[in-house]
Amino acid sequence: MHEVMTVPTAATQSTKKTVSVQERKYKCAYCSRAFSRSEHRSRHERSHTKERPFKCLKCRSTFVRRDLLLRHDRTVHAKDGGVPLHSEVKRRSTKNSASAGPAKPSIAIEQAAIEQLEGDGGMVDLETAAALMTELHYAAAAAIVDHEQEMLLQEKSRRSMSSNPESVFDPNVSYASGAIPVQNMSTWDPPTPSSTAGPEPPRSHYMSHSQSSQDSCVSWSSNSLQIPSSASSVMERSLSADPGHSATVTPTSYASPHPLFTGPSSPANHSGSSASQAAPPPAPPSVDSDHERNMVLDNIREIDEERAVLDKFRLPSRSGLNRYLAAYFNLFHHHLPFLHTGSFNPSTLAPPLLLAVLSIGALYTFEKEQAYTLHMSSKVLVNNFIARHHEFNSRNCPLWTTQTLLLNMVFASWSGDPKGLDWACSIRDLLANIVAGGRYELQVRMDQRGDEMPTREEWILEEGSKRTYYAIYVFFGLLTLTYNHIPAIAHDEFDTLSLPCSETLWNLDGSDDQAWREHLSNASMPTFKEAHTGLNNGEIPQYSVFAARVIINALFLDVLELKRNVEIVESVVSEYRERLSVALETWHRALEYCTPETMIVSLTAPQKGHPLVFNSMAMYRCAMARLEVDLVSIQEALRYHVPEDVASVMTSASGLIPRSEAMTKVIQQCFECFQIPALMGIRWVARTSALNWSVEHPLCGFELMLILSLWLYRLEEEMETDPPTEEEEAMLTKVRNLFDDDSVELYGSRLSAAVAMVWGGMIDEVVVWGITKLLGESFKLHSHTLALSDDIGMTSSSSPSSSATPEAEDLDSEME
């Protein structure tokens, strides 16, 4: 008999589908969904019951799954230095570890991820896969750090500690409370987890920071945003060893002695410059020999008369010094260029200023403990120096002390620790008085010289002084923007002082004196008052990019004074408001007429021109927003650095956001701020912007994204009772087009919550300045509150990964 071949029909295929559906026998008691496993059903039902059975013993957060609790413990509480939380289930056997090569370090993967894989029979959701990938990235970063520490130990072993007089300096000492006596000034204790000295910091101290900031692929939402494969991560390169032995990572038109920190080439088209005119910035200063390093040590011994630092600090090795110097001048200096690179000689520079520069450079290499050690040592030395010399006043205070205090305040204010901010506030008036006296003395010297051209050395000192005073003015403006601090320097302080010159002139090679004189004589440097008054009258001035950053700071403070001056009558307010709007728009148009720059800065920024233009645009958007809304309560909450408190005030401020035609124009500025990382790639920006963009962007972006999320929330709440206007609907469509439908559905169709979550997850992924971690955590908590208002089952108060929809598509694929 011949076998009869049965051809599958539509009926049999339908039967198979029915059987497959019947296998999902575990039905939800609250809705019609069914699951193939009981644990899947239990997890889903928690979205209905709001049950959070897994509680964190270190804070008040609760979670729907234990693996989320474990991830929260290692990402949030790792910096606390406590014992990490481990799985209660027996560890998986390591029988395959013997096959690994002896040179390869073992990689410890969080057991919770393995348990999840085993429990689900090998079928995992995207959320679990992201957690596993996070563990692998953590382990890889740990292996790299271990390798670097092993090299450092080998270098130390070659040194004879008994015969080397430098052995009294230990770079691994972390200062505890009261460890360093400071005369006549309170000391801010760094929030380091250890207070004891040792030959080598435990790896956990490095990883507590690197887990959240270095090569980690933190799953801050189930939308695991992907970085483009063609974009190399500057952050990953920062984990390399001695830059002198590293290959050139970024191809440029010039050779850099420290290619590790050059970053990708800037896409900016510098107006007024041709390819033949383009030139690189000066090479960062360096310590070229052990003799120069010994000179630095001698300088420290000489200034440290109280021996407050000598017995508690070890100067970094020569390669470490060069690494920090390269990081400062290649990654930070261009955002606040008040130091003169060409005359910056580490072996003859005042030690407090050198240590302040090194501390910020160490931050950019993610060596947090070393950064705090250098910062505290710099602060102690300059404080004791000022206390010893009672004859100093604001007019004869050395410039290096002013520059040191500025860098120490920058470090402390954006550290993410409220004690650092308190210390910065305690010396703010002191620094303002120094600026007043120094500016007066500078003006007297310039007036006495008259029209006579200064020598190059005189000009460097005078221009450096001027740039330092303007840098302090800009920094104080950021303190006002972020923490609502009263402006410490008034506009009239700089009325007669000329604005900073171009960056090309400031960094011109000093070997050609004739070329320098020609550039100086042709430079356009109007006074502060001329530029400020011209903008208010609608006149476009021509000045440098640094001057543009100074003037937008002045206009921002003008807006703030208008909004908060209750004595101005209503009729005059409208007139002032119109004048400020004209000044801001004129400033914006004047960017095209800034002094052409031929010096190419190798930092990636979407804005054309120098990075200072990009930074100025962030301040410009905030000034435009402050014309309509001023969220004072949130600024004051930021002073105390408690994410829960900040998020609570953020959400309750929705009533302060008006709906008007003028507000819709402000939302356009907010949308542009969000669109920039969306078009560049959220993950790529998250992992590289900390090393390329200035601190202005997370600070200004915090305010703009808060306004955008609250405006969207108000539209969502009033959609039925007060439908959006045509302009509001167009803006709403622009924002929604940046997301796919599944991404928004994660937050119960709350576009406001989606915007807040994406921004919060982006800015706290790579941490150079601790303040960004506070802003990111606050935004994520704010996002959860917006989502919970629609009762969609967002169950975690601190982890954005507890969404009940793990099948969401990648946002980056839609952000085009």
Side-chain angles (χ1 to χ4, degrees):
M1 296 180 62
H2 298 283
E3 293 184 356
V4 178
M5 181 177 297
T6 303
V7 179
T9 62
T12 59
Q13 291 178 353
S14 176
T15 303
K16 290 181 179 180
K17 292 181 180 179
T18 304
V19 172
S20 177
V21 171
Q22 289 177 351
E23 290 177 355
R24 304 170 69 90
K25 57 184 177 180
Y26 298 98
K27 296 183 178 180
C28 175
Y30 303 93
C31 65
S32 59
R33 293 193 61 178
F35 302 87
S36 59
R37 301 177 65 89
S38 61
E39 56 266 29
H40 293 172
R41 179 188 60 182
S42 300
R43 183 191 308 167
H44 166 75
E45 287 180 346
R46 291 172 190 154
S47 65
H48 297 286
T49 62
K50 308 297 185 295
E51 180 186 3
R52 299 186 290 263
F54 300 100
K55 300 179 180 180
C56 178
L57 300 179
K58 303 176 183 178
C59 66
R60 294 175 293 179
S61 301
T62 55
F63 301 88
V64 294
R65 301 203 312 266
R66 180 169 177 79
D67 64 303
L68 298 179
L69 170 62
L70 295 174
R71 183 167 61 191
H72 160 81
D73 181 76
R74 70 171 174 268
T75 57
V76 176
H77 296 298
K79 61 180 181 294
D80 299 334
V83 179
L85 188 63
H86 297 288
S87 173
E88 297 174 353
V89 185
K90 184 178 180 180
R91 292 291 180 181
R92 189 177 185 181
S93 173
T94 57
K95 59 183 179 180
N96 295 328
S97 61
S99 60
K104 296 181 180 180
S106 60
I107 297 180
I109 304 177
E110 182 61 51
Q111 184 66 18
I114 300 176
E115 294 167 7
Q116 186 69 26
L117 287 172
E118 295 175 340
D120 292 343
M123 301 298 292
V124 298
D125 54 21
L126 294 179
E127 197 169 292
T128 306
L132 180 58
M133 290 303 298
T134 301
E135 286 299 317
L136 293 173
H137 279 285
Y138 290 164
I144 295 175
V145 172
D146 284 344
H147 176 67
E148 183 173 355
Q149 292 304 309
E150 183 179 354
M151 294 179 63
L152 291 176
L153 285 176
Q154 291 176 358
E155 180 182 353
K156 290 181 182 180
S157 64
R158 291 194 299 266
R159 298 175 181 269
S160 175
M161 301 300 291
S162 58
S163 60
N164 190 353
E166 305 166 5
S167 61
V168 295
F169 291 88
D170 186 357
N172 301 319
V173 173
S174 56
Y175 294 106
S177 176
I180 301 180
V182 182
Q183 299 179 5
N184 302 331
M185 190 170 296
S186 60
T187 302
W188 165 49
D189 302 323
T192 52
S194 174
S195 60
T196 59
E200 177 186 3
R203 190 184 73 184
S204 60
H205 290 182
Y206 288 90
M207 294 306 297
S208 65
H209 182 70
S210 62
Q211 283 180 347
S212 61
S213 62
Q214 292 183 355
D215 194 25
S216 62
C217 188
V218 180
S219 301
W220 47 264
S221 94
S222 56
N223 312 336
S224 183
L225 304 181
Q226 298 297 320
I227 181 173
S229 58
S230 60
S232 61
S233 174
V234 180
M235 171 192 58
E236 294 171 356
R237 297 197 301 270
S238 71
L239 289 173
S240 302
D242 188 352
H245 297 86
S246 60
T248 301
V249 181
T250 303
T252 57
S253 59
Y254 60 94
S256 170
H258 302 285
L260 181 65
F261 299 105
T262 56
S265 301
S266 173
N269 179 20
H270 302 273
S271 60
S273 62
S274 62
S276 60
Q277 294 174 323
S286 61
V287 178
D288 298 328
S289 64
D290 290 335
H291 174 68
E292 291 188 4
R293 181 177 179 273
N294 291 335
M295 292 176 63
V296 173
L297 286 169
D298 292 338
N299 295 336
I300 294 176
R301 294 189 183 98
E302 182 179 356
I303 197 173
D304 188 19
E305 296 181 6
E306 295 82 5
R307 298 191 63 84
V309 170
L310 284 174
D311 298 330
K312 307 177 180 66
F313 168 74
R314 178 181 173 83
L315 189 69
S317 64
R318 184 162 63 89
S319 62
L321 294 175
N322 290 334
R323 185 167 66 249
Y324 302 152
L325 288 171
Y328 178 91
F329 284 95
N330 285 328
L331 300 178
F332 175 79
H333 170 71
H334 304 296
H335 303 301
L336 210 59
F338 61 90
L339 295 178
H340 188 251
T341 307
S343 60
F344 189 98
N345 187 350
S347 61
T348 59
L349 192 71
L353 178 56
L354 176 61
L355 295 180
V357 169
L358 295 174
S359 68
I360 293 181
L363 282 181
Y364 276 88
T365 61
F366 301 104
E367 299 179 48
K368 184 178 179 182
E369 285 198 3
Q370 185 68 278
Y372 275 104
T373 300
L374 293 166
H375 165 70
M376 293 297 296
S377 301
S378 170
K379 191 169 64 174
V380 167
L381 290 178
V382 70
N383 291 348
N384 290 347
F385 179 82
I386 294 175
R388 286 198 307 268
H389 296 79
H390 301 288
E391 68 278 8
F392 283 162
N393 56 45
S394 60
R395 290 188 58 182
N396 62 11
C397 188
L399 179 61
W400 67 262
T401 60
T402 309
Q403 295 171 336
T404 303
L405 291 174
L406 170 59
L407 289 179
N408 285 338
M409 285 188 68
V410 169
F411 189 108
S413 299
W414 313 133
S415 65
D417 189 283
K419 292 184 292 184
L421 179 61
D422 290 343
W423 175 84
C425 293
S426 69
I427 68 167
R428 186 182 55 167
D429 291 340
L430 167 65
L431 199 56
N433 290 333
I434 292 177
V435 170
R439 195 275 313 162
Y440 177 81
E441 186 66 23
L442 174 63
Q443 196 70 53
V444 168
R445 292 202 308 269
M446 296 174 66
D447 292 342
Q448 290 176 348
R449 189 175 63 248
D451 296 334
E452 181 183 353
M453 181 171 287
T455 65
R456 184 167 178 80
E457 289 73 18
E458 290 175 342
W459 179 81
I460 290 175
L461 176 60
E462 294 173 358
E463 181 69 19
S465 301
K466 182 171 57 178
R467 284 172 167 261
T468 300
Y469 304 150
Y470 279 127
I472 294 172
Y473 178 64
V474 168
F475 168 68
F476 282 177
L478 287 177
L479 290 181
T480 302
L481 166 78
T482 309
Y483 302 118
N484 191 35
H485 287 163
I486 299 175
I489 301 178
H491 292 344
D492 55 8
E493 191 66 61
F494 302 112
D495 277 351
T496 59
L497 193 64
S498 61
L499 290 169
C501 68
S502 68
E503 298 309 295
T504 301
L505 176 57
W506 179 235
N507 293 282
L508 199 63
D509 186 7
S511 59
D512 191 348
D513 188 71
Q514 182 63 30
W516 167 76
R517 290 182 176 275
E518 292 178 359
H519 277 80
L520 181 60
S521 60
N522 297 327
S524 175
M525 290 182 286
T527 64
F528 179 94
K529 186 175 183 179
E530 290 172 350
H532 189 223
T533 304
L535 288 173
N536 282 288
N537 296 332
E539 303 171 1
I540 296 180
Q542 184 178 14
Y543 42 46
S544 66
V545 292
F546 193 6
R549 178 65 184 90
V550 171
I551 294 299
I552 191 58
N553 187 76
L555 295 178
F556 171 81
L557 296 178
D558 286 341
V559 171
L560 210 63
E561 182 180 2
L562 172 66
K563 294 288 292 184
R564 299 181 181 180
N565 194 337
V566 296
E567 298 179 357
I568 303 179
V569 297
E570 189 64 29
S571 59
V572 181
V573 168
S574 300
E575 179 184 350
Y576 284 179
R577 187 190 193 91
E578 183 64 27
R579 184 182 301 176
L580 280 174
S581 298
V582 171
L584 287 169
E585 291 300 329
T586 307
W587 176 91
H588 190 207
R589 288 187 286 114
L591 289 179
E592 300 179 4
Y593 300 92
C594 284
T595 304
E597 297 287 354
T598 60
M599 188 187 72
I600 298 178
V601 179
S602 299
L603 292 177
T604 299
Q607 194 73 35
K608 292 183 178 180
H610 195 276
L612 282 170
V613 177
F614 186 37
N615 304 344
S616 301
M617 281 299 299
M619 202 71 175
Y620 164 75
R621 295 189 179 98
C622 270
M624 295 290 289
R626 288 287 178 95
L627 276 174
E628 299 300 323
V629 58
D630 187 9
L631 305 176
V632 178
S633 59
I634 299 170
Q635 299 155 24
E636 293 178 346
L638 283 172
R639 298 176 183 177
Y640 307 104
H641 294 68
V642 181
E644 292 79 9
D645 295 346
V646 175
S648 175
V649 181
M650 289 167 66
T651 309
S652 62
S654 59
L656 302 177
I657 307 298
R659 289 180 57 185
S660 62
E661 182 179 352
M663 192 65 204
T664 305
K665 294 180 180 179
V666 171
I667 297 302
Q668 174 64 32
Q669 300 293 332
C670 301
F671 170 75
E672 290 177 3
C673 179
F674 185 75
Q675 187 184 34
I676 290 173
L679 295 179
M680 297 182 69
I682 291 289
R683 290 297 278 183
W684 186 78
V685 170
R687 303 177 73 183
T688 61
S689 62
L691 295 177
N692 285 276
W693 298 1
S694 68
V695 73
E696 279 99 326
H697 297 284
L699 297 178
C700 295
F702 173 81
E703 182 163 334
L704 295 172
M705 290 302 100
L706 175 59
I707 292 174
L708 178 60
S709 66
L710 293 178
W711 182 80
L712 292 171
Y713 175 75
R714 183 162 182 178
L715 282 183
E716 292 163 349
E717 290 292 301
E718 302 174 359
M719 191 69 69
E720 297 181 358
T721 59
D722 186 10
T725 64
E726 184 177 348
E727 293 78 10
E728 289 175 335
E729 185 64 39
M731 186 56 61
L732 190 63
T733 302
K734 284 184 180 180
V735 179
R736 185 175 288 275
N737 286 341
L738 293 177
F739 296 85
D740 62 352
D741 293 337
D742 290 340
S743 301
V744 180
E745 288 299 327
L746 286 173
Y747 308 96
S749 299
R750 287 281 188 182
L751 189 59
S752 57
V755 168
M757 179 57 67
V758 169
W759 192 264
M762 183 184 69
I763 64 175
D764 81 339
E765 182 165 345
V766 180
V767 178
V768 170
W769 305 102
I771 186 67
T772 61
K773 193 69 177 177
L774 165 67
L775 302 180
E777 289 296 328
S778 300
F779 249 113
K780 287 191 276 188
L781 294 172
H782 170 59
S783 170
H784 283 293
T785 306
L786 295 180
L788 285 170
S789 65
D790 201 30
D791 195 26
I792 64 168
M794 299 293 289
T795 54
S796 171
S797 63
S798 64
S799 174
S801 305
S802 59
S803 170
T805 311
E807 297 85 3
E809 296 291 331
D810 189 348
L811 280 180
D812 248 358
S813 62
E814 296 295 330
M815 290 188 169
E816 301 178 352

